[in-house]
């Protein structure tokens, strides 16, 4: 007998994979493993989703509990899985999440509230699924799943929380967050025309290339809407500026982003205070930062922002700037 076939030459990990392969082909096992890595544990029917994706891809049906047991065994034994390939896993998950035959929360983007514990009682939040959304990335659009939480009469979202029919954002809800979502992104129209046009053209181009021989229908693609993007971005930027320029720890934003009156009131109510905040921040910059003796002598602002800075008519002192010359 050829010594290469002697089972003594196999280590425990290899023997385990060989015995497992008698029931589940390694190709299927590899597929299950990488789906498990990509899908968040928060997904309630995660292993049933994996079972469905295996069936759609390979035409073989495995029980969800069997898949869970096998994957738990692989992880508990710390078996090396370098032989497995993760090719096309992202594409398969995205296609599955869009497939109307399945009612699923499976997604590459499991979008959770900005905090894992309640801001008032500090107890861990219990998350619940809210809705599926479009996730706009740099060159394509994925499907995402939004989760929210409720505790102490407060509702927690991705970048905000709602208390007493009012919506707030805090420093914690903005900093180092992977996603931006305020709630009404899918239900109203908004956006910056040039950016959205370029973005949508890029998505159409990339999608057409990926489609190859398949017919790509742009009208079915989830594209970025113009006025929607503008309103969301302006609210986000206003709140971010307010938190940057002042010592405030939170700011109220419109509860209904699709309500024009609420949005207009929000922007109008912020103008005067933002003018004071930006002037105070930059005119006192030298007190907090070491920028040299020229700091605070002049504020040069992009003309598109069109700020109003009120200067006394009787002030005769001149300020000299190398860029602008004499400034009254």
């Amino acid at each position: 007998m050829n010594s290469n076939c002697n089972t003594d030459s196999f280590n425990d990990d290899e023997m385990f994979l060989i015995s497992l392969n008698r029931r589940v082909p390694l190709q299927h096992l590899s597929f299950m493993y990488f789906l498990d890595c990509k899908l968040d544990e928060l997904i309630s029917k995660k292993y049933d989703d994996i079972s469905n994706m295996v069936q759609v891809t390979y035409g073989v049906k495995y029980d969800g509990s069997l898949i869970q047991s096998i994957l738990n065994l692989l992880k508990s034994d710390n078996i090396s899985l370098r032989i497995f390939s993760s090719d096309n896993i992202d594409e398969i998950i995205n296609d599955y999440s869009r497939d109307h035959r399945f009612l699923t929360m499976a997604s590459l983007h499991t979008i959770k509230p900005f905090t894992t514990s309640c801001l008032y009682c500090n107890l861990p939040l219990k998350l619940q699924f809210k809705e599926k959304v479009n996730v706009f990335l740099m060159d394509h659009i994925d499907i995402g799943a939004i989760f929210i939480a409720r505790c102490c009469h407060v509702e927690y979202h991705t970048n905000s929380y709602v208390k007493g029919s009012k919506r707030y954002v805090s420093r914690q809800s903005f900093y180092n967050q992977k996603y931006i979502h305020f709630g009404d992104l899918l239900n109203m129209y908004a956006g910056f025309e040039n950016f959205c046009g370029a973005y949508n053209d890029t998505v159409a181009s990339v999608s057409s290339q990926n489609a190859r021989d398949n017919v790509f229908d742009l009208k079915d693609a989830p594209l970025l809407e113009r006025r929607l993007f503008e309103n969301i971005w302006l609210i986000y930027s206003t709140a971010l500026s307010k938190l940057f320029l002042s010592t405030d720890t939170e700011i109220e934003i419109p509860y209904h982003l699709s309500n024009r009156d609420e949005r207009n009131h929000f922007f109008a109510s912020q103008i005067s205070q933002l003018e004071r905040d930006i002037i105070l921040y930059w005119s006192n910059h030298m007190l907090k930062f070491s920028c040299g003796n020229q700091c605070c002598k002049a504020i040069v602002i992009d003309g598109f922002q069109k700020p109003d800075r009120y200067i006394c008519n009787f002030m005769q002192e001149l300020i000299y700037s190398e860029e602008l010359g004499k400034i009254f």
Side-chain angles (χ1 to χ4, degrees), residues 26-43 45-58 60 62 67 71 74-75 81 84-97 104-110:
L26 288 181
Q27 185 182 33
H28 299 180
L29 189 62
S30 167
F31 189 62
M32 295 174 187
Y33 172 77
F34 282 105
L35 287 175
D36 183 52
C37 293
K38 290 284 186 177
L39 297 175
D40 196 281
E41 294 296 331
L42 190 60
I43 298 170
K45 296 183 178 180
K46 174 178 176 178
Y47 298 102
D48 289 334
D49 289 324
I50 292 177
S51 174
N52 290 336
M53 281 185 268
V54 172
Q55 184 178 17
V56 169
T57 306
Y58 295 110
V60 180
Y62 296 96
I67 293 175
L71 291 173
L74 287 174
K75 288 182 283 189
L81 296 168
F84 291 164
S85 171
S86 60
D87 293 345
N88 301 322
I89 291 294
D90 290 1
E91 181 181 347
I92 290 169
I93 293 176
N94 274 325
D95 290 342
Y96 175 74
S97 65
T104 177
M105 294 183 291
S107 169
L108 289 171
H109 307 276
T110 302

Side-chain angles (χ1 to χ4, degrees), residues 132-147:
K132 295 173 72 173
V133 296
N134 294 319
V135 179
F136 293 87
L137 304 172
M138 292 301 295
D139 59 354
H140 68 283
I141 300 169
D142 285 345
I143 296 294
I146 293 282
F147 287 80

Side-chain angles (χ1 to χ4, degrees), residues 235-246:
I235 291 172
Y236 168 77
S237 298
T238 300
L240 197 62
S241 298
K242 181 69 176 178
L243 295 173
F244 173 74
L245 294 170
S246 69

Side-chain angles (χ1 to χ4, degrees), residues 32 59 70 76 87 91 97 101 108 115 128 170 175 180 200 239 243 267 273 285 309 325-326 328:
M32 295 174 187
I70 292 173
S76 65
D87 293 345
E91 181 181 347
S97 65
R101 294 176 297 171
L108 289 171
T115 178
Q128 61 187 73
S170 64
Y175 293 166
I180 299 173
N200 291 338
L243 295 173
F267 292 126
Q273 187 58 49
H285 196 265
R309 185 178 182 186
K326 295 179 180 181
F328 288 93

Side-chain angles (χ1 to χ4, degrees), residues 120 152-155 161-168 255:
Y120 294 90
C152 297
H153 304 290
V154 177
E155 188 174 278
Y161 66 89
V162 175
K163 182 180 180 182
S165 298
K166 293 184 178 180
R167 188 185 297 272
Y168 299 89
Y255 181 73

Side-chain angles (χ1 to χ4, degrees), residues 222-261:
L223 300 178
L224 197 59
E225 296 173 318
R226 298 188 303 111
R227 284 175 292 274
L228 162 64
F229 181 72
E230 181 179 9
N231 287 332
I232 294 294
W233 186 256
L234 287 175
I235 291 172
Y236 168 77
S237 298
T238 300
L240 197 62
S241 298
K242 181 69 176 178
L243 295 173
F244 173 74
L245 294 170
S246 69
T247 57
D248 293 351
T249 57
E250 66 180 24
I251 177 175
E252 181 184 347
I253 63 174
Y255 181 73
H256 298 102
L257 274 68
S258 57
N259 187 299
R260 178 181 297 179
D261 292 335

